[in-house]
């Protein structure tokens, strides 16, 4: 998804840093956690549904998503051009409140020449998403929240673990965020080829925490459908039929956005309030 300008990035990063430092999260004993269970068997795409722009739901166009060496890989080996064919691999069932953990790495080569500059070393985990069946054929991004994963691109700082909001809005420190993507102030810049541990905690009260290698790098809340959204192209009828309502559950999806990436050790632990 699109990255912010430098000035907007700095101001929002400062806000995010203050939030991480000052917010008092719900204590662990307020939550009841179920057992960890795997969403990926390490051998196949059983339980996962592809939806790639310009193609019908269920079609794994040119084997975009493959399993290799115990990981789900986004591969463009069969593509001639990207041609706006952004994709997502959805887990088959929706979830409400949970901890999701996985390991990912961007590959060092295999990107397509027409991949947009902002999409280089760029992917994500979408959550609280609409179902793949409810997406239009040409829709590039589902209505969802994106835990954006970024690799190094150039010599400057490019922290992973931003948050992007196709079709929705969120609040940070009680304030509605108007920008589409908000970077993390304290997440690291990670070279491509490096395995990274990412964790997402979605609490029953609507709070969301993103972690990288065990460290909280983002905290936000109040996921709400956005009738004024212009990013989730083709999703306007879906949003307008529901209005600006709170989103409290949805699907999890792994993104193919133009740069090869691998995901493994994908596990979930469902949460309930005591």
């Amino acid at each position: 998804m699109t990255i912010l300008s430098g000035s907007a990035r700095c101001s929002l990063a400062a806000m995010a840093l203050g939030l991480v430092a000052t917010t008092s999260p719900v204590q662990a004993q307020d939550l009841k956690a179920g057992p960890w269970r795997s969403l990926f068997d390490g051998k196949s795409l059983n339980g996962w549904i592809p939806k790639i722009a310009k193609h019908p739901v269920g079609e794994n166009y040119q084997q975009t998503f493959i399993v290799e060496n115990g990981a789900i890989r986004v591969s463009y080996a069969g593509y001639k051009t990207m041609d706006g064919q952004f994709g997502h691999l959805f887990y088959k069932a929706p979830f409400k409140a949970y901890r999701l953990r996985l390991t990912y790495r961007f590959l060092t080569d295999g990107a397509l020449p027409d991949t947009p500059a902002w999409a280089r070393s760029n992917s994500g985990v979408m959550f609280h998403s609409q179902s793949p069946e409810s997406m239009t054929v040409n829709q590039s991004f589902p209505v969802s929240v994106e835990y954006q994963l970024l690799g190094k691109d150039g010599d400057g700082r490019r922290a992973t673990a931003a948050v992007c909001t196709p079709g929705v809005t969120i609040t940070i420190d009680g304030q509605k965020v108007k920008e589409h993507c908000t970077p993390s102030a304290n997440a690291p810049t990670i070279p491509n080829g490096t395995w990274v541990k990412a964790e997402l905690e979605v609490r029953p009260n609507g709070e969301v925490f993103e972690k990288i290698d065990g460290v909280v790098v983002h905290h936000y809340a109040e996921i709400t459908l956005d009738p004024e959204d212009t990013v989730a192209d083709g999703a306007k009828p879906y949003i307008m039929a529901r209005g600006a309502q709170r989103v409290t559950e949805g699907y999890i999806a792994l993104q193919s956005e133009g740069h090869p990436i691998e995901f493994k050790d994908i596990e979930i632990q469902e949460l309930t309030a005591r």
Side-chain angles (χ1 to χ4, degrees), residues 257-271:
E257 202 167 22
H259 194 111
I261 184 173
E262 292 181 329
F263 303 91
K264 66 178 184 177
D265 304 327
I266 307 169
E267 297 179 307
I268 198 164
Q269 180 186 55
E270 297 191 72
L271 303 173

Side-chain angles (χ1 to χ4, degrees), residues 206-218:
E207 286 185 280
V208 179
F209 295 82
E210 296 177 5
K211 296 181 182 180
I212 291 292
D213 291 332
V215 177
V216 175
V217 293
H218 244 314

Side-chain angles (χ1 to χ4, degrees), residues 211-254:
K211 296 181 182 180
I212 291 292
D213 291 332
V215 177
V216 175
V217 293
H218 244 314
H219 175 204
Y220 46 93
E222 298 183 28
I223 300 167
T224 306
L225 290 178
D226 182 9
E228 298 180 2
D229 174 79
T230 59
V231 176
D233 55 316
K236 184 66 74 173
Y238 176 92
I239 298 172
M240 297 309 292
R242 292 159 177 80
Q245 69 179 21
R246 194 68 56 85
V247 182
T248 58
E249 65 179 304
Y251 291 79
I252 293 167
L254 309 177

Side-chain angles (χ1 to χ4, degrees), residues 143-213:
V143 175
S144 59
V145 184
E146 179 186 1
Y147 179 175
Q148 187 185 55
L149 307 175
L150 296 168
K152 189 173 176 61
D153 184 41
D155 296 328
R157 181 178 184 273
R158 195 186 192 216
T160 192
V163 54
C164 300
T165 53
V168 301
T169 62
I170 58 172
T171 62
I172 293 180
D173 205 16
Q175 300 298 312
K176 182 177 177 180
V177 177
K178 297 180 180 180
E179 290 76 11
H180 170 54
C181 288
T182 305
S184 167
N186 63 322
T189 299
I190 301 171
N192 291 353
T194 304
W195 286 107
V196 187
K197 293 181 180 180
E199 185 175 350
L200 177 70
E201 183 170 308
V202 184
R203 294 186 173 179
N205 66 359
E207 286 185 280
V208 179
F209 295 82
E210 296 177 5
K211 296 181 182 180
I212 291 292
D213 291 332

